[in-house]
Amino acid sequence: MRRIVIAGNWKMYKTQAEAMEFLQGFVPHLDETPDDREIVLCAPFTALGSLSQSLHGSRVRLGAQNVHWEKAGAYTGEIAAPMLTEIGVRYVIVGHSERRQYFGETDETVNLRLKAAQAHGLVPILCVGETKQQRDANETESVIFNQIDRGLVDIDQSNLVIAYEPIWAIGTGDTCESVEANRVIGLIRKQLSNPDVPIQYGGSVKPDNIDEIMAQPEIDGALVGGASLQPDSFARIVNFH
Ligand code: PGA
C-alpha cells in the first residue's frame, strides 16, 4: 500500500510568530482530515523549534528544506541532520529546483544529502523535474531519469518520498495537466526498485485543482508551495476529496 503524503513547502517565508499564527488557523481543520494521509510542514529552520513544541502530540509532521551530508563541521550556513532530529524533524526536502538553480546543488550533492538524511532517520523528499526548455526539446524523460538514477545511488528506497515538480509549473499558476503529471510519475515509478515509494506532484497545487490531481492513480500526494502559506488554503488541500 502506498502512503499519501501532503507536504507544505514554506520556502523562505514565515517568522516564528507567523508560523504560530498559521497553526491557530490550520490545526482546527485537521479534525476533518481522513487518517489515510500524512501531513508535513517544511518550515524555515528558525521556525522548526517552536513548531515542534506546538505540534507535539499532533498528527502534523515537521520537515526541513535542506540538510548537509556531514554530521558536524566547518560548513558555514549549512545545517546537520542531528540538529534537525533533535527537535523532532522527520522529513527533509532534498534537491528542490530552487536549490539546484540558485545554490549550485547537483545530482552528486543531492545524493550525499539523501544518504545523510537516511543515516539519521529522516525521510528525504527528493525533488526532480524538467525546465520548460527541456520539455519543449522532448527531454523530459531523460532529464528526470538522470536525476533519479544519479540521485538514488545507494539510497534505501523503503525510506523515501519523491516529488515530481516540473520547474515551469512552480510558482507560475501554470499547473501541469493532471493526466500528464500522472504519466510522468508512472514512468518515474518504473525506474524504481521499490514501486511503493510515495511520489508526489508539485507545481502550482491549489485548493481548486487538488481533487483532480489526487484522483490520478499514480499520484500519491502533493508538495505545495504558495498555497501552503495560508491556513484555509492548505487545510482545503490536505482535506482533498
Ligand atoms: P508552488 O511551489 O506550489 O508555489 O508552485 C511548489 C514547490 O516549489 O515545491
Side-chain angles (χ1 to χ4, degrees), residues 9 11 96 98 165 169-172 202-206 223-227:
N9 172 14
K11 310 192 179 189
H96 190 278
E98 286 150 17
E165 298 205 301
I170 295 179
T172 57
S204 297
V205 174
K206 299 277 181 312
L223 184 57
V224 187

Side-chain angles (χ1 to χ4, degrees), residues 3-48:
R3 274 185 309 139
I4 296 172
V5 184
I6 307 285
N9 172 14
W10 282 357
K11 310 192 179 189
M12 198 174 70
Y13 292 99
K14 293 197 191 296
T15 63
Q16 281 193 80
E18 288 163 349
M20 293 302 102
E21 199 184 317
F22 173 93
L23 288 190
Q24 290 197 346
F26 178 68
V27 171
H29 290 284
L30 296 174
D31 293 345
E32 302 151 36
T33 309
D35 290 336
D36 64 354
R37 47 198 86 166
E38 178 103 316
I39 315 300
V40 185
L41 278 177
C42 299
F45 299 131
T46 48
L48 289 172

Side-chain angles (χ1 to χ4, degrees), residues 96-126:
H96 190 278
S97 63
E98 286 150 17
R99 303 272 343 147
R100 295 179 193 256
Q101 189 180 349
Y102 305 132
F103 301 101
E105 198 77 73
T106 64
D107 291 324
E108 288 66 39
T109 55
V110 163
N111 178 253
L112 290 170
R113 292 183 202 274
L114 290 172
K115 280 185 196 150
Q118 291 191 333
H120 292 275
L122 291 162
V123 183
I125 303 176
L126 165 64

Side-chain angles (χ1 to χ4, degrees), residues 34-228:
D35 290 336
D36 64 354
R37 47 198 86 166
E38 178 103 316
I39 315 300
V40 185
L41 278 177
C42 299
F45 299 131
T46 48
L48 289 172
S50 32
L51 281 172
S52 177
Q53 283 180 1
S54 303
L55 288 170
H56 190 75
S58 105
R59 62 179 287 177
V60 181
R61 302 282 171 244
L62 275 183
Q65 300 170 19
N66 196 11
V67 64
H68 195 264
W69 49 89
E70 294 292 343
K71 60 178 187 291
Y75 299 100
T76 304
E78 288 284 326
I79 196 98
M83 299 169 182
L84 299 172
T85 53
E86 182 192 39
I87 56 171
V89 172
R90 296 271 194 94
Y91 285 81
V92 60
I93 298 173
V94 174
H96 190 278
S97 63
E98 286 150 17
R99 303 272 343 147
R100 295 179 193 256
Q101 189 180 349
Y102 305 132
F103 301 101
E105 198 77 73
T106 64
D107 291 324
E108 288 66 39
T109 55
V110 163
N111 178 253
L112 290 170
R113 292 183 202 274
L114 290 172
K115 280 185 196 150
Q118 291 191 333
H120 292 275
L122 291 162
V123 183
I125 303 176
L126 165 64
C127 301
V128 297
E130 81 287 358
T131 63
K132 180 80 174 73
Q133 217 180 5
Q134 289 163 335
R135 175 163 279 269
D136 292 345
N138 274 325
E139 291 167 4
T140 300
E141 282 136 47
S142 62
V143 167
I144 290 167
F145 291 173
N146 258 320
Q147 289 173 334
I148 296 276
D149 291 347
R150 293 186 188 153
L152 292 185
V153 175
D154 294 331
I155 295 302
D156 171 9
Q157 295 191 12
S158 66
N159 180 37
L160 176 70
V161 174
I162 293 177
Y164 168 54
E165 298 205 301
I167 295 171
W168 47 272
I170 295 179
T172 57
D174 194 8
T175 324
C176 181
E177 290 287 328
S178 56
V179 173
E180 172 61 7
N182 186 68
R183 184 186 75 85
V184 177
I185 288 175
L187 294 175
I188 293 173
R189 196 177 305 288
K190 291 211 178 81
Q191 293 292 107
L192 303 175
S193 57
N194 174 14
D196 290 336
V197 172
I199 310 180
Q200 303 172 313
Y201 167 75
S204 297
V205 174
K206 299 277 181 312
D208 63 10
N209 59 26
I210 186 66
D211 297 341
E212 186 190 331
I213 290 167
M214 290 308 297
Q216 297 294 326
E218 292 288 349
I219 304 182
D220 304 319
L223 184 57
V224 187
S228 71

